[in-house]
Amino acid sequence: MTPSPSQPQLAPGTWAPARRLAQRVLGPLERFLHVQAASGIVLLIAAVVALAWANSPWGDAYDHLWHVPLTIGVGSFVFTQSLHFWINEGLMTIFFFVVGLEIRREMYEGELSDLKRAALPIAAAVGGMVAPALLYLSFNAAPVSRHGWGVPMATDIAFAVGVLALLGKRVPPALRVLLLALAIIDDIGAIIVIALFYSSGVSWSGLLVATAGALAVLVLQRFGVRRPLAYVAPGAVLWFGMLRAGVHPTIAGVAVGLLTPVRSWFGSQGFLATARDVVDEVGAIARRESYKIDDLLTPLQRIRTAQREALPPVVRLQAALHPWVAFGIMPLFAFANAGVRVDSSSLDHVAAGTILLGVTVGLVVGKPLGVFLASFAMVRLGVCALPRGVGWAGVGVVGCVAGIGFTMAIFIAGLAFNDAAMLAAAKLGVLLASAVAAVVGLAVGRLMLPATPDPSAATTLAEAEMSTEQ
C-alpha cells in the first residue's frame, strides 16, 4: 500500500512507535542545530568544559590526553604525532579548507567580486587587524613577547554572527553581510600572517612536494574528475609538502579551497532536463510486463550525477562540510586548546602579564577602534558608502563583536608561543577578551540599534549584498 501524501513515509522494516520516539528526542536537537547562534553556543560549552577540567583536581589528565601519540603508516612509512597535533594541524586543515571555499565563493560572486562593494569591508578588516596589533606591541615591545602581535588580529565568525543573531530584528541584513565580509577578509589576513610570520624556515624540497600536490589537483580538474574523494590524495600530498617545507600545513586546506571550481556542470536547467528524461525512462521501464530491478541502476545513476552537479563544487562542499566543521572540528579544537590552568604557576613568566593585557586590550579596544576609524576614513574620502539602512552605530556594533577572537586567535597563539606560561597568558587573554567583546557588543547593540527595522534598509540578503552600490 502506498502512503498518502499527508502520511509520513517510513523505510521498510521501520517500527512506527520507535520512529516517533526518535523524532521527539532528536527533533529539538535538529531545530537547535539550525539556529544561527548554535555553533557559537557549542563552542562556548566546549571551552567552558575545557577550562573546568584543566582547573579541576583531574587537570593533569587533561594535559596528558592531548599528548597521547597517534600513528598512521603504510609499510615502512610511519608518521607518529600527538593527538593535539592531529587536531591542530590535521582536522583544522578541513576548517581552513572551508575558509578557502568561502573566500573562493566570495571572490566569484560575493562581496569580494566587485571592488566597490568590497572597499568598505576591506577597509574595516584592515583597520581591525592593524589597530589590535599596534596596541599589543605598545604593551609588548620586548623581544620575548612581541612575537604574539598576530594573536589579537583575528575575528571568530561563528561567535560574532551568533552575537548579532541574539540582537534579533535590530540587525538589518546589510549589517550582517558587512560582518560576514569583514570576517572573511580578516581570515585572509590571518592566513597571510600565518604563512609569512608564523612558519619556520622554508625547505625547497617540501615546496616541490606541495607544488606536485597542487598540480595533481589541477590535472584531475582538467580530466573532468568531479568526485571529491579523488582529491583527497593530492590534497594529502600538498599538506605533507607544506609540513616539510616549514609552512604551516593548514595552509594546504586554504590552497585546495581556492582551487575548487565555482561553476556548476549541469546547473538547474541541466538537472531539470535530466530529471525529466530519467522520469520518462523509469516510467517506460515500469510499464514493461517484466523487468529486472537492476534496469533502474543506469537511469538512477544519471539522476544522482545530475543532482550532484546541479550546484558548483564550491557550494556543494561548503554545505556538506560546514556542519561537521561548526559542530565537530571547531568545538574539538576549542576543547583541546581552551583548557588554560589559571594559577600562579601556569602564568609564571615575566611577560605573562603584558601578553594577557596586550591581547585583551587589542581585541576589546583595538578591534572596534580600528574597524570604525578605517570605515569612517574611507567613507569620508568618498571611496565607498555605508550599506543602505546601516548607520555608524551599526558599524560600531560590528567593530565590538569583531573583537571576539577565539578560534583563529587561539590558533595563532599556539604558533606564536612555545613557552607554556606565555601561551597560557595569550589564551587567557583571548578567552577574557572574547567574553568581554560579546557582552559589550550585545549591550551596545541594544542601546544603539533601533528596535524596529529602518524602512529604507534592505530587507533581504540579496538586496543587502547590493546595497553598497546604491
Side-chain angles (χ1 to χ4, degrees):
M1 177 180 176
T2 303
S4 67
S6 61
Q7 294 176 332
Q9 297 189 21
L10 299 178
T14 301
W15 185 35
R19 179 59 182 167
R20 286 195 295 268
L21 177 62
Q23 288 175 337
R24 288 181 181 177
V25 174
L26 298 177
L29 177 60
E30 291 177 353
R31 288 192 294 272
F32 169 77
L33 295 180
H34 283 87
V35 176
Q36 204 165 41
S39 61
I41 295 172
V42 175
L43 271 178
L44 179 61
I45 293 172
V48 170
V49 172
L51 273 171
W53 188 1
N55 290 279
S56 72
W58 305 278
D60 290 339
Y62 175 86
D63 293 331
H64 293 153
L65 172 63
W66 310 117
H67 291 89
V68 172
L70 291 180
T71 301
I72 63 170
V74 177
S76 60
F77 176 79
V78 177
F79 190 60
T80 302
Q81 292 289 345
S82 67
L83 177 59
H84 192 266
F85 172 91
W86 288 117
I87 292 173
N88 283 29
E89 276 77 8
L91 289 179
M92 285 298 285
T93 302
I94 302 175
F95 164 81
F96 278 91
F97 173 61
V98 173
V99 171
L101 293 175
E102 291 173 349
I103 295 170
R104 181 75 177 98
R105 186 177 178 185
E106 287 293 319
M107 292 174 64
Y108 179 70
E109 60 180 3
E111 289 295 290
L112 305 184
S113 62
D114 179 80
L115 184 58
K116 185 177 180 181
R117 289 165 59 187
L120 180 62
I122 288 175
V126 172
M129 289 185 283
V130 172
L134 292 177
L135 278 177
Y136 177 89
L137 289 173
S138 69
F139 292 101
N140 294 275
V144 68
S145 60
R146 66 186 177 199
H147 197 49
W149 59 268
V151 176
M153 292 175 61
T155 295
D156 190 288
I157 190 170
F159 270 132
V161 171
V163 170
L164 278 191
L166 294 176
L167 291 172
K169 293 183 179 180
R170 296 174 184 269
V171 179
L175 195 62
R176 179 173 174 269
V177 170
L178 175 62
L179 175 62
L180 291 172
L182 183 153
I184 290 170
I185 298 165
D186 192 282
D187 284 342
I188 296 173
I191 290 164
I192 293 172
V193 167
I194 291 170
L196 295 181
F197 300 101
Y198 292 105
S199 297
S200 55
V202 176
S203 166
W204 290 105
S205 61
L207 284 181
L208 288 175
V209 174
T211 302
L215 289 175
V217 170
L218 294 174
V219 169
L220 287 175
Q221 290 179 357
R222 289 297 182 183
F223 276 95
V225 178
R226 305 288 289 188
R227 293 186 178 276
L229 287 178
Y231 292 88
V232 172
V237 172
L238 178 55
W239 180 89
F240 183 71
M242 290 287 192
L243 182 66
R244 282 194 58 182
V247 180
H248 203 272
T250 52
I251 302 298
V254 180
V256 176
L258 292 175
L259 293 174
T260 303
V262 291
R263 292 176 179 158
S264 60
W265 177 14
F266 279 51
S268 57
Q269 295 302 317
F271 172 78
L272 287 173
T274 303
R276 293 189 188 102
D277 290 344
V278 170
V279 168
D280 292 341
E281 187 175 349
V282 171
I285 293 173
R287 286 191 293 271
R288 296 176 190 169
E289 291 185 2
S290 62
Y291 70 90
K292 296 179 180 179
I293 197 68
D294 291 351
D295 295 338
L296 297 176
L297 290 175
T298 299
L300 291 180
Q301 179 60 48
R302 288 175 55 203
I303 198 69
R304 279 195 295 269
T305 301
Q307 179 186 18
R308 186 184 72 233
E309 300 300 337
L311 295 172
V314 69
V315 175
R316 189 174 69 250
L317 288 171
Q318 185 179 350
L321 291 174
H322 184 266
W324 294 97
V325 170
F327 299 106
I329 293 174
M330 290 174 66
L332 183 58
F333 171 83
F335 186 52
N337 290 274
V340 181
R341 189 169 294 182
V342 186
D343 57 25
S344 58
S345 61
S346 63
L347 300 176
D348 187 18
H349 192 282
V350 65
T354 57
I355 291 173
L356 191 153
L357 185 62
V359 171
T360 305
V361 174
L363 284 169
V364 175
V365 179
K367 273 289 185 180
L369 190 65
V371 168
F372 189 89
L373 290 180
S375 302
F376 186 81
M378 294 296 280
V379 171
R380 288 300 182 192
L381 290 172
V383 177
C384 56
L386 291 178
R388 191 172 70 243
V390 173
W392 289 113
V395 175
V397 172
V398 166
C400 290
V401 299
I404 305 173
F406 208 74
T407 306
M408 193 71 83
I410 290 177
F411 186 85
I412 295 176
L415 303 178
F417 299 112
N418 293 322
D419 181 85
M422 296 171 73
L423 177 58
K427 287 183 178 180
L428 192 59
V430 171
L431 296 174
L432 178 62
S434 297
V436 172
V439 172
V440 170
L442 278 174
V444 172
R446 291 193 176 276
L447 289 173
M448 302 295 292
L449 297 180
T452 56
D454 185 346
S456 67
T459 56
T460 66
L461 286 178
E463 292 176 356
E465 288 175 352
M466 302 300 295
S467 64
T468 51
E469 297 182 357
Q470 303 300 317

